Amino acid sequence: MSPIPIILDCDPGHDDAMAMILAAYSPEIDLRGIVTVSGNGVIEKVTLNALRICALAKINVPVAQGAGQSLMGSGDAATYIHGESALDGADLPHPTFELSPESGVELIARLVSESDVPITLVATGPLTNIALFLKLYPDLISNVKEIVFMGGSAGRGNRSAYAEFNIWMDPDATDVVLKSGLPMTMCGLDVTHEALVTSEIFDRLHAMETPLSQTIIGLMKFFASTYNDVYEMPDPPLHDPVAIAVLIDREVVRSKHVNVEVELHGTFTRGATVVDIHNMDGRPANVTVALGLDAPKFWDLMLNAVELAGKA
Ligand code: RIB
Ligand code: CA
């Protein structure tokens, strides 16, 4: 089967960085470009981090800076998890290539329009750039195969009681995406909280004995420390690579096609994804929601990519 062409929209971010590596070093994926969005850090920091991860893992695709704020101009950085640099925990190399002169949305539009096959958009940060692309380039939507996003939850949230961070940062953009009519796959906290960076994963990284694996260990140790401080989770969930893994092997998750809406007006629940698992409200199903993870299969995919990248 031909590799799946994707554009990765992200806010590196520790788990975004791992999603970049999984996308770049999986033969099933054809990573065409990377676009950044503010979320785990302000746009300048997450963009610098994207370039630094490209240098670290020898990823050579165009990188463009995307939206620095939500559609409504709000939201703050998740420094409480990812640190002041938005990617604390290791010394990262300086960028080895320049940022694309295009804006994030312009790069998405160019790559989609130039592709001879429909492209999959993968978002592992707030959905601002994806929403802007859908609104500004409606004629290009026919060349988008699917939107896969890490975000939301069928249960509780992690940025507010009921809103997951990426959706909380831009609920209005999420609403645009959910109403796009495109095939969508949602990898929310229900599935990503099963992708835990356990001591066994650290052992497997240690055993690789490459500079890259050592750097990743430093990043993951920082990520683990803040996650434990904030959420009392000793093993942090590596959210974002799950959105790549589902494209590599759909069997890596257990999913259900249901209706998903986003709460825009709730006093306490703005940004909550309303996942109608049992079709109680009768609205048409619009999203394939991942609800469970084959963790051993996921980690084999993730660590195989790290091993490949470490030898590049
Ligand atoms: O809620 C987890 C999500 O928020 C992940 O994408 C993480 O990188 C942060 O952006
Ligand atoms: Ca992210």
Side-chain angles (χ1 to χ4, degrees), residues 87-297:
L87 194 51
D88 285 9
D91 292 330
L92 297 176
H94 293 294
T96 52
F97 58 82
E98 293 293 315
L99 199 55
S100 165
E102 299 155 298
S103 73
V105 179
E106 288 167 343
L107 179 60
I108 295 173
R110 177 170 65 82
L111 293 174
V112 170
S113 63
E114 287 175 352
S115 181
D116 54 3
V117 293
I119 283 198
T120 298
L121 304 181
V122 181
T124 62
L127 292 169
T128 314
N129 295 322
I130 307 299
L132 287 170
F133 166 74
L134 295 171
K135 286 296 183 189
L136 295 173
Y137 298 92
D139 297 346
L140 295 179
I141 292 176
S142 59
N143 210 29
V144 174
K145 181 178 181 184
E146 179 183 11
I147 296 172
V148 181
F149 64 96
M150 189 278 134
S153 164
R156 302 186 70 93
N158 64 358
R159 180 59 186 82
S160 72
Y162 285 95
E164 177 278 329
F165 178 80
N166 288 337
I167 310 303
W168 182 89
M169 283 290 284
D170 203 338
D172 306 286
T174 305
D175 194 46
V176 169
V177 172
L178 290 174
K179 290 183 164 65
S180 67
L182 282 166
M184 283 173 280
T185 298
M186 168 179 147
C187 300
L189 299 181
D190 319 277
V191 66
T192 67
H193 276 185
E194 296 181 16
L196 300 176
V197 187
T198 62
S199 58
E200 180 216 339
I201 303 305
F202 277 105
D203 291 346
R204 290 172 68 180
L205 286 166
H206 270 296
M208 292 181 194
E209 295 184 340
T210 63
L212 176 65
S213 62
Q214 292 307 307
T215 301
I216 288 173
I217 287 168
L219 293 172
M220 291 299 106
K221 281 184 175 173
F222 180 88
F223 189 51
S225 68
T226 54
Y227 239 90
N228 197 33
D229 292 347
V230 175
Y231 299 106
E232 298 174 314
M233 292 176 73
D235 299 333
L238 201 69
H239 306 280
D240 293 337
V242 176
I244 301 293
V246 298
L247 288 172
I248 297 169
D249 181 348
R250 295 281 177 173
E251 301 299 308
V252 80
V253 299
R254 171 177 57 80
S255 57
K256 190 172 183 183
H257 194 62
V258 297
N259 177 265
V260 179
E261 306 293 344
V262 59
E263 178 55 59
L264 298 176
H265 309 294
T267 303
F268 307 108
T269 55
R270 175 168 159 83
T273 45
V274 181
V275 182
D276 192 359
I277 295 277
H278 304 299
N279 190 25
M280 303 302 285
D281 297 339
R283 290 184 295 268
N286 56 343
V287 183
T288 297
V289 178
L291 296 165
L293 182 72
D294 179 337
K297 181 179 286 189

Side-chain angles (χ1 to χ4, degrees), residues 295-312:
K297 181 179 286 189
F298 168 77
W299 282 112
D300 284 347
L301 293 172
M302 182 72 252
L303 296 177
N304 287 345
V306 172
E307 194 138 36
L308 264 180
K311 295 171 182 167

Side-chain angles (χ1 to χ4, degrees), residues 21-103:
I21 292 170
L22 182 58
Y25 285 90
S26 297
E28 302 85 352
I29 302 293
D30 173 7
L31 178 61
R32 298 279 180 90
I34 294 170
V35 173
T36 60
V37 60
S38 62
N40 287 329
V42 296
I43 191 63
E44 294 78 11
K45 290 184 178 178
V46 299
T47 303
L48 174 60
N49 290 340
L51 291 172
R52 297 174 81 176
I53 291 298
C54 285
L56 176 76
K58 300 182 179 62
I59 299 170
N60 190 16
V61 298
V63 177
Q65 179 168 307
Q69 59 185 15
S70 70
L71 293 184
M72 306 295 274
S74 61
D76 61 358
T79 54
Y80 54 94
I81 292 293
H82 300 275
E84 274 313 304
S85 74
L87 194 51
D88 285 9
D91 292 330
L92 297 176
H94 293 294
T96 52
F97 58 82
E98 293 293 315
L99 199 55
S100 165
E102 299 155 298
S103 73

Side-chain angles (χ1 to χ4, degrees), residues 2-33:
S2 304
I4 302 167
I6 75 165
I7 298 168
L8 177 59
D9 188 279
C10 55
D11 60 336
H14 293 72
D15 49 339
D16 303 79
M18 298 301 281
M20 289 172 61
I21 292 170
L22 182 58
Y25 285 90
S26 297
E28 302 85 352
I29 302 293
D30 173 7
L31 178 61
R32 298 279 180 90

